Amino acid sequence: MRGGTIEISATSDALMQAAAERFVACAEAAMRVAGCFVVALSGGSTPKRLYMLLATAAYARRVDWSRVHVFWGDERCVPPDDPASNCRMAREVLLSRVPVPEGNVHRMRGEDDPGSAAAAYEREVREILVTPDGPPACIPGRRFDLVLLGMGDNGHTASLFPGTPAVRETERWVMAQYVNVVSMWRLTLTPVIIDSAAEITFLVCGGEKAAMLHRVLQGPDVPDALPAQAIAPRHGRLRWLVDAAAAADLERSCDDITGHDLQPGRISARRR
Ligand code: 6PG
């Protein structure tokens, strides 16, 4: 089993609650140490219910949103009001419903020239992480406290798609790429900055992801073909939060998997 831990939730609702608890715990820890919480949100459809949950009173009141800086792991090169915009989705279901200062919402400018937008975003990330040049520092206050990621059924994550140069990037923190499989330009954080985070949490939900999750976590190491494998925190924690449907193909004979009894005989409760 590739590095990190996997936590299996019985249902997708329980999965979103587990993810919301992680978000709150990471925010509290970062604010205790560095006075603020710097998070990179993921896009796609899976995290939408997490963001909706975080906007509910039960969770929203547990985060001091005035000290949260919100970034994105990737964006589609579309205007911010476009239905395909990751920023739009997060704004509609979360950021417009919690008291995060507008100046702390750092969106990728998908409407601009992709190359310029990527360079501008790197400057903005570097400014907030107090690292004007050089490699990222893996220390509190100068790294992402939490990077949320999804996994596509082709093994991509953020907008690190199979066979694209950003997967192997060693210098730039943000890149623009034209991605053939989705016929569009994308902006993405690279592993250079993602891997310096205190915590990287993958959120994977649904049976349609089961075969790919098994390949990514328990198959041969082919990060160019399966970019989710390219993510490996240098000093931080890697966590996979998945539901039982997505975990259906995983071989359970390893200590890194914890979960709840789902179906008698299929999965033992906590293995430790
Ligand atoms: C995006 C995402 C992307 C996403 C996966 C999974 O902009 O599309 O950041 O990496 O996480 O494609 O998407 P779903 O959650 O919709 O399956």
Side-chain angles (χ1 to χ4, degrees):
M1 163 62 203
R2 201 145 276 103
T5 59
I6 293 188
E7 294 167 29
I8 304 171
S9 295
T11 65
S12 58
D13 282 348
L15 173 63
M16 297 308 158
Q17 280 163 14
E21 289 298 334
R22 272 322 298 152
F23 187 99
V24 171
C26 289
E28 287 169 350
M31 289 181 190
R32 245 192 331 273
V33 174
C36 68
F37 174 51
V38 184
V39 59
L41 301 181
S42 59
S45 58
T46 302
K48 186 172 183 176
R49 287 166 56 202
L50 163 62
Y51 303 156
M52 293 167 73
L53 191 55
L54 287 170
T56 61
Y59 285 98
R61 68 166 174 259
R62 294 170 58 193
V63 176
D64 179 353
W65 295 95
S66 70
R67 293 193 282 154
V68 176
H69 281 275
V70 178
F71 288 85
W72 277 262
D74 72 319
E75 185 59 283
R76 295 86 181 267
C77 288
V78 294
D81 58 356
D82 189 288
S85 162
N86 286 336
C87 172
R88 173 178 165 174
M89 184 272 274
R91 268 195 194 287
E92 284 177 352
V93 301
L94 173 60
L95 303 174
S96 61
R97 300 162 189 265
V98 293
V100 59
E102 188 53 35
N104 287 16
V105 177
H106 309 276
R107 73 177 182 87
M108 292 178 169
R109 294 183 60 83
E111 69 273 31
D112 293 351
D113 163 73
S116 315
Y121 204 66
E122 176 160 340
R123 287 193 296 275
E124 194 165 349
V125 175
R126 283 181 174 279
E127 185 195 334
I128 298 298
L129 299 187
V130 204
T131 309
D133 49 42
C138 299
I139 55 174
R142 298 186 57 200
R143 61 183 177 187
F144 282 106
D145 299 298
L146 175 63
V147 174
L148 289 172
L149 293 173
M151 183 197 75
D153 51 19
N154 63 356
H156 83 266
T157 189
S159 279
L160 302 169
F161 281 80
T164 59
V167 176
R168 290 285 183 182
E169 177 64 20
T170 58
E171 298 279 326
R172 287 168 287 179
W173 296 11
V174 185
M175 284 177 68
Q177 307 191 103
Y178 185 82
V179 181
N180 290 319
V181 284
V182 291
S183 307
M184 68 179 324
W185 281 91
R186 292 282 190 108
L187 299 168
T188 188
L189 297 184
T190 68
V192 175
I193 184 65
I194 293 173
D195 288 350
S196 72
E199 175 157 330
I200 301 167
T201 293
F202 280 89
L203 190 61
V204 182
C205 187
E208 69 279 7
K209 299 279 177 74
M212 183 47 71
L213 189 65
H214 176 242
R215 285 181 62 195
V216 164
L217 292 175
Q218 297 178 323
D221 208 15
V222 284
D224 288 311
L226 304 179
Q229 290 183 335
I231 302 302
R234 284 191 289 283
H235 300 288
R237 186 177 180 136
L238 178 60
R239 187 186 301 263
W240 290 78
L241 298 181
V242 307
D243 68 351
D249 293 357
L250 291 180
E251 287 134 34
R252 310 296 169 123
S253 56
C254 61
D255 285 344
D256 296 309
I257 297 183
T258 57
H260 303 283
D261 240 355
L262 301 167
Q263 296 167 11
R266 273 195 71 190
I267 304 171
S268 64
R270 199 166 288 285
R271 292 178 178 270
R272 295 177 190 277

